[in-house]
């Protein structure tokens, strides 16, 4: 059987350059499982509808199982001479079972075939990534539970702002990754529709049963409109967007771990197996994993923009431009899944220097806002007046080379006689626990957030 299986209209041999440009097998071979799974469901439906004979179905089904086993064992080499994975599978099937294999493509086109294969692949990885996110969130919760009382300087503009606890900080990232999880699950549910049976663009005159194949492949139902279904790549764009957003969150956490592991911070120590040394400086321990995660985020952005650009000018229905939809998706999925696994492992095995974190809270006058709030509550000052008065107190602390929280009542009274009473309140732990509004950093509120996140995790289905 000729490898140019779909070329009835073309009478001359393709240019070697066209073959090279057109050949998608080197990357779409990734879809061989989905292609064979979709073909088996299609063949069964054809037999159920009386479109092919039971004997042909039995031969096709057995042959497709053999093709699957041959690919996975390496006995059937996807050598690149076939135009794509669909033609490679069909050619090998026909070699094995003869004319029955030629009947498999009845009532379908490569347009709906690739649409169903690619959609199955993306939906499966929506669920895989969501499961990995669930595991990462659980790891962050474990850190949060152990450190809901560990003081940490909360920052804005990378400047010390107010005291928080490390558990609270970890729950901020858990909240980000929860939104990521929800996006992947939402995409799965929204796109769980079968394009199979749409044929090239307009459906088929054969008496097929699209609901049968949709059910067999695990889809909720068939797509509504065949013209849309064969050219729709929203499901691919969604997973690319979801990955890009998730990698942005990973990059933000990675940036903090890079900073925290530096000598200037010294808040965390990465496990030796998650770091590398220098080729010239023997003392170095470089945070390669978070740096790589931060760097790989950019390529996932590029994959998203690339497919958006491919799709923006395409008329209905299928166009060959759409062949460019897969490589970026495969790359982003591999990047996302590896990133989630390694980030979880790194978080579980890093060491946290509680003393260094708490010592850092004695820099930057973290309780200045507490003093201003106290003047509003206890002395009746307008907040803006209290704000400026505390600014003078901070300036005095700077002159003395000390933190605001270290000033005595006498030193505060030297700035303004109303300030001395509050000296005992300028304690970082008191400040942290004073912020007990819902969603705040107080230890009890942090534990409440942990409990709510754990309850959400327990409700999830794998």
């Amino acid at each position: 059987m000729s490898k140019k299986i779909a070329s009835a209209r073309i009478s001359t041999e393709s240019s070697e350059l066209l073959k090279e440009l057109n050949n998608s097998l080197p990357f779409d071979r990734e879809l061989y499982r989905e292609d064979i799974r979709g073909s088996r469901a299609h063949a069964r439906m054809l037999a159920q509808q009386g479109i092919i004979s039971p004997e042909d179905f039995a031969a096709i089904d057995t042959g497709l199982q053999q093709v699957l086993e041959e690919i996975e064992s390496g006995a059937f080499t996807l050598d690149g001479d076939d135009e794509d994975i669909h033609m490679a599978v069909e050619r090998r099937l026909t070699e094995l079972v003869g004319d029955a294999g030629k009947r498999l493509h009845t009532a379908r086109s490569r347009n709906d075939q690739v649409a169903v294969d690619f959609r199955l692949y993306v939906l499966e990885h929506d669920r895989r990534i969501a499961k990995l996110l669930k595991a990462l969130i659980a790891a962050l919760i474990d850190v949060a539970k152990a450190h809901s009382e560990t003081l940490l300087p909360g920052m804005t503009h990378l400047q010390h702002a107010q005291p928080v606890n490390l558990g609270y900080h970890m729950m901020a990232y858990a909240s980000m990754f929860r939104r990521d999880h929800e996006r992947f699950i939402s995409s799965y549910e929204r796109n769980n529709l079968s394009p199979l049976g749409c044929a090239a663009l307009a459906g088929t005159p054969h008496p097929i049963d699209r609901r049968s194949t949709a059910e067999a492949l695990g889809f909720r139902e068939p797509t509504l409109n065949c013209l849309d279904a064969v050219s729709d790549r929203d499901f691919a764009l969604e997973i690319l967007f979801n990955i890009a957003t998730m990698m942005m969150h990973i990059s933000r956490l990675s940036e903090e771990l890079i900073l925290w592991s530096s000598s200037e911070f010294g808040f965390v120590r990465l496990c030796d197996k998650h770091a590398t040394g220098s080729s010239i400086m023997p003392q170095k321990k470089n945070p390669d994993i978070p740096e790589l995660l931060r760097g790989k985020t950019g390529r996932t952005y590029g994959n998203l923009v690339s497919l958006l650009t491919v799709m923006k000018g395409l008329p209905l229905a299928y166009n060959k431009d759409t062949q460019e939809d897969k490589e970026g998706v495969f790359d982003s999925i591999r990047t996302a899944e590896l990133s989630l696994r390694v980030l979880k492992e790194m978080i579980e095995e890093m060491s946290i220097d509680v003393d260094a974190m708490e010592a850092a809270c004695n820099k930057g006058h973290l309780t200045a806002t507490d003093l201003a709030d106290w003047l509003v509550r206890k002395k009746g000052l307008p907040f803006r007046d209290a704000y400026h008065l505390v600014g003078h107190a901070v300036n005095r602390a700077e002159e003395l080379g000390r933190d605001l929280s270290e000033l005595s009542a006498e030193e505060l009274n030297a700035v303004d006689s109303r300030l001395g009473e509050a000296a005992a309140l300028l304690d970082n732990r008191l400040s942290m626990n004073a912020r007990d509004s819902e969603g705040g950093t107080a230890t009890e509120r942090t534990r409440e957030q942990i409990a709510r996140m754990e309850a959400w995790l327990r409700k999830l289905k794998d």
Side-chain angles (χ1 to χ4, degrees):
M1 182 179 181
S2 171
K3 292 188 178 184
K4 297 298 290 181
I5 196 168
S7 302
R9 175 65 179 81
I10 305 301
S11 59
T12 61
E13 183 69 17
S14 296
S15 155
E16 291 301 316
L17 290 174
L18 172 58
K19 290 179 183 178
E20 182 176 354
L21 182 67
N22 189 46
N23 188 358
S24 64
L25 187 58
F27 55 86
D28 70 16
R29 60 191 295 166
E30 181 82 15
L31 299 174
Y32 75 88
R33 296 179 190 85
E34 288 77 13
D35 192 71
I36 291 172
R37 182 182 168 200
S39 291
R40 294 181 78 175
H42 181 68
R44 183 176 297 277
M45 179 276 296
L46 292 177
Q48 290 171 344
Q49 296 298 107
I51 299 171
I52 64 173
S53 69
E55 294 76 18
D56 281 343
F57 164 66
I60 290 169
D61 194 59
T62 300
L64 286 170
Q65 177 60 31
Q66 183 174 339
V67 174
L68 176 64
E69 292 170 358
E70 287 181 357
I71 293 174
E72 294 190 332
S73 69
F76 173 35
T77 303
L78 299 170
D79 57 17
D81 289 340
D82 292 289
E83 187 174 322
D84 53 38
I85 186 60
H86 323 295
M87 295 297 98
V89 169
E90 186 174 335
R91 175 179 65 81
R92 179 57 182 152
L93 172 67
T94 303
E95 289 173 353
L96 292 171
V97 304
D99 284 350
K102 298 177 183 179
R103 294 188 171 91
L104 172 61
H105 209 55
T106 306
R108 75 173 182 184
S109 161
R110 273 193 297 181
N111 293 358
D112 61 334
Q113 188 177 0
V114 68
V116 75
D117 292 358
F118 195 28
R119 192 175 289 236
L120 284 170
Y121 181 91
V122 168
L123 292 177
E124 171 63 21
H125 287 279
D126 276 326
R127 297 178 68 182
R128 286 192 195 183
I129 293 172
K131 190 172 183 179
L132 290 169
L133 278 163
K134 180 180 174 182
L136 175 60
I137 292 168
L140 291 167
I141 287 173
D142 286 342
V143 176
K145 289 168 91 171
H147 292 280
S148 62
E149 297 184 42
T150 299
L151 288 175
L152 174 74
M155 297 187 183
T156 63
H157 307 276
L158 207 57
Q159 302 294 314
H160 287 207
Q162 294 175 340
V164 299
N165 66 73
L166 176 59
Y168 178 73
H169 198 96
M170 291 296 101
M171 290 309 297
Y173 283 107
S175 298
M176 293 182 202
F177 292 125
R178 173 175 171 170
R179 293 194 297 273
D180 292 326
H181 182 281
E182 290 168 344
R183 272 187 283 269
F184 284 103
I185 294 301
S186 173
S187 290
Y188 174 85
E189 292 173 350
R190 180 169 43 260
N191 294 297
N192 191 22
L193 304 170
S194 174
L196 192 56
C198 285
L201 76 162
T204 174
H206 296 280
I208 63 171
D209 182 354
R210 291 189 64 205
R211 292 191 176 273
S212 171
T213 50
E215 181 179 357
L217 292 171
F219 291 109
R220 186 173 71 249
E221 60 184 350
T223 53
L224 177 67
N225 179 279
C226 288
L227 184 61
D228 170 57
V230 296
S231 58
D232 169 37
R233 292 300 183 270
D234 288 3
F235 62 92
L237 287 166
E238 283 190 33
I239 199 170
L240 288 174
F241 172 80
N242 295 343
I243 289 172
T245 304
M246 179 194 76
M247 289 300 296
M248 177 267 290
H249 293 152
I250 288 176
S251 185
R252 294 181 70 183
L253 177 53
S254 296
E255 171 68 9
E256 295 208 312
L257 292 175
I258 291 164
L259 290 171
W260 288 1
S261 64
S262 69
S263 300
E264 284 71 20
F265 283 80
F267 291 173
V268 300
R269 289 186 298 276
L270 301 182
C271 177
D272 282 356
K273 70 181 183 181
H274 297 140
T276 64
S278 164
S279 63
I280 188 172
M281 294 169 281
Q283 83 282 9
K284 291 290 294 299
K285 181 176 176 181
N286 298 325
D288 279 19
I289 284 180
E291 288 178 352
L292 286 166
L293 295 178
R294 186 177 59 182
K296 287 181 181 296
T297 299
R299 69 192 288 164
T300 66
Y301 292 1
N303 290 334
L304 170 60
V305 173
S306 176
L307 185 53
L308 282 168
T309 306
V310 166
M311 298 301 297
K312 74 174 181 64
L314 298 187
L316 291 171
Y318 181 82
N319 297 270
K320 196 68 171 183
D321 315 48
T322 316
Q323 183 167 290
E324 295 297 312
D325 60 359
K326 297 173 193 66
E327 288 179 277
V329 170
F330 295 158
D331 178 67
S332 283
I333 287 173
R334 283 192 295 269
T335 298
E337 293 182 355
L338 177 58
S339 296
L340 287 167
R341 287 195 295 269
V342 74
L343 179 59
K344 171 182 174 288
E345 183 179 277
M346 183 175 60
I347 287 171
E348 288 174 335
E349 300 188 26
M350 71 181 181
S351 301
I352 296 168
D353 192 328
V354 172
D355 293 337
M357 286 185 175
E358 297 199 354
C361 290
N362 294 321
K363 302 174 183 177
H365 317 290
L366 298 182
T367 55
T369 308
D370 298 84
L371 184 54
D373 288 338
W374 179 85
L375 287 168
V376 170
R377 292 195 317 271
K378 299 299 184 181
K379 299 300 181 180
L381 269 68
F383 178 78
R384 193 52 63 196
D385 291 344
Y387 169 90
H388 287 294
L389 180 54
V390 173
H392 295 316
V394 168
N395 287 338
R396 180 55 180 158
E398 291 279 332
E399 292 170 1
L400 296 171
R402 303 213 301 277
D403 188 74
L404 178 65
S405 63
E406 297 172 333
L407 296 188
S408 67
E410 291 76 15
E411 288 166 330
L412 287 168
N413 277 330
V415 177
D416 188 283
S417 60
R418 292 168 290 188
L419 297 179
E421 297 175 47
L425 303 177
L426 302 184
D427 174 82
N428 288 315
R429 192 168 300 280
L430 287 175
S431 172
M432 181 267 288
N433 281 316
R435 286 169 169 74
D436 63 352
S437 56
E438 185 171 355
T441 188
T443 292
E444 288 308 309
R445 287 300 192 178
T446 299
R447 290 171 178 164
E448 180 182 274
Q449 294 162 37
I450 292 169
R452 288 172 60 185
M453 191 69 77
E454 286 185 315
W456 172 76
L457 281 177
R458 287 193 293 271
K459 292 179 182 178
L460 294 180
K461 299 176 182 178
D462 287 333

